[in-house]
Amino acid sequence: MRYKIEVQDETGIWSDVRGDDGAILIYDEESAARAALAEKFPVLVQMEKYAGGKRTRVIRIIEDED
């Protein structure tokens, strides 16, 4: 499995988190994706614990075998 992280903007649109080179950040382990999410968006991740509502998420990438 591979994972990517997404963040929601103030209008409710989800978008992929990208690196400095513009490529989508992809991780081989969910724990690594969650750690990167907490590192890049520490305030949003902490707010979700107390204020409710999701503004960040880790998504599993399902690869098509065809």
Side-chain angles (χ1 to χ4, degrees):
M1 291 286 173
R2 297 174 65 181
Y3 301 88
K4 66 180 182 175
I5 55 180
E6 295 183 339
V7 66
Q8 186 181 48
D9 66 15
E10 57 279 341
T11 63
I13 305 291
W14 289 96
S15 57
D16 297 325
V17 176
R18 297 178 180 270
D20 293 334
D21 61 356
I24 296 172
L25 298 177
I26 297 176
Y27 303 89
D28 291 327
E29 297 182 17
E30 183 178 0
S31 60
R34 293 197 182 281
L37 184 62
E39 182 180 321
K40 292 189 170 294
F41 303 98
V43 174
L44 291 178
V45 171
Q46 289 297 320
M47 281 178 45
E48 290 172 359
K49 292 179 183 178
Y50 303 104
K54 300 278 300 170
R55 297 271 319 265
T56 63
R57 64 185 178 187
V58 173
I59 301 292
R60 181 174 49 202
I61 301 170
I62 300 174
E63 296 182 23
D64 187 11
E65 295 179 7
D66 292 337

